[in-house]
Amino acid sequence: EEAREERWQPRVSAVGSVMAFQGTIVSTEADGIVRDIKFQAGTMVNTTDELVQLDVEIEQAQLRAAEAAAEWARVSFNRAKELFPNKSIPQAELESTDSGLKQADAQVDNLRAVIAKKTVRAPFAGKLGIRRINVGQFLEKGSPVVSLQALDPVYVEFSLPQQRLGDVAEGLTVAVISDAYPGDH
C-alpha cells in the first residue's frame, strides 16, 4: 500500500442528550369537565389544532342570554338615538342606553372568550406524548393535558472537559451516534 499524507482532525467524544427544539406540557386555561379528546398519543399536530374540548353548555346558555340582552340594548340605543334630536328624551337617557349597549357587548365578548379558553389547542406544531387526561375528568385551570415536542430540528446537548475546550471552534462538524440507530450518523 502506498503511503499518502492525510490531515486528521482531533476527535473528542462526549455523552449527550437529544433535546427538542421546543417543548411544553400543554395545559388548560379554564376549569371544566373533559367532554372530548381529539388526539391520539404519539401523533403529529399543527399549530392551533384542537386537542381537548371541555364542557361549555353553561357558558353557551349564558352567551345566548347575553346576546339577547345585547340585541335589546342595541334596539333601545337606536330608539333613543332617533328620539334625541327631537328633544323627546334627555341626553342622559341617550348616554345611559349607549353605556348599556357597550356593557352588553362586553359581556358577549367575555363569554365568547371563556368558551374559546375551554378548547385546548396545540400552541405549536410537533409530536404529542402520552395523554394525561380522560373523558369525564374534571380539570382545574393549569392542569396538564399532554406533552408536545417540536422535533424539527432537534439539538444535542453535551459537555466537554475544560482542557478540551481549545479543540472546539465554531463551524466544526459534529457526528452524533445513537445506540438506538448504531449505523446512522
Side-chain angles (χ1 to χ4, degrees), residues 33-36 38 50-56 118-119:
I33 296 173
V34 177
R35 292 291 181 224
D36 192 14
K38 300 180 179 190
E50 287 187 25
L51 302 177
V52 176
Q53 179 62 58
L54 301 179
D55 62 318
V56 291
K118 289 202 168 197
T119 301

Side-chain angles (χ1 to χ4, degrees), residues 34-178:
V34 177
R35 292 291 181 224
D36 192 14
I37 299 173
K38 300 180 179 190
F39 70 91
Q40 296 292 325
T43 57
M44 297 297 292
V45 294
N46 294 314
T47 305
T48 71
D49 281 357
E50 287 187 25
L51 302 177
V52 176
Q53 179 62 58
L54 301 179
D55 62 318
V56 291
E57 293 86 8
I58 292 171
E59 289 84 0
Q60 285 176 335
Q62 291 172 340
L63 177 60
R64 287 191 299 275
E67 287 172 337
E71 184 57 34
W72 174 249
R74 189 167 287 101
V75 167
S76 297
F77 174 70
N78 288 337
R79 185 179 306 129
K81 205 164 55 169
E82 289 173 6
L83 294 173
F84 180 71
N86 300 335
K87 306 281 188 208
S88 299
I89 62 167
Q91 184 168 346
E93 189 171 332
L94 176 66
E95 291 170 356
S96 176
T97 57
D98 181 41
S99 175
L101 175 59
K102 288 176 182 173
Q103 288 176 0
D105 285 343
Q107 181 64 22
V108 168
D109 291 344
N110 179 53
L111 286 166
R112 285 186 179 143
V114 169
I115 290 170
K117 286 186 181 281
K118 289 202 168 197
T119 301
V120 179
R121 297 181 182 276
F124 54 85
K127 188 171 186 174
L128 296 171
I130 298 171
R131 73 177 193 194
R132 301 178 180 194
I133 60 168
N134 293 301
V135 173
Q137 181 178 352
F138 177 80
L139 299 178
E140 293 181 7
K141 180 179 179 178
S143 295
V145 172
V146 65
S147 68
L148 176 62
Q149 306 293 321
L151 300 176
D152 189 19
V154 294
Y155 295 107
V156 177
E157 184 179 273
F158 60 92
S159 59
L160 297 172
Q162 186 173 358
Q163 59 267 34
R164 298 305 305 252
L165 289 180
D167 298 333
V168 179
E170 189 172 333
L172 291 177
T173 302
V174 176
V176 178
I177 300 169
S178 170

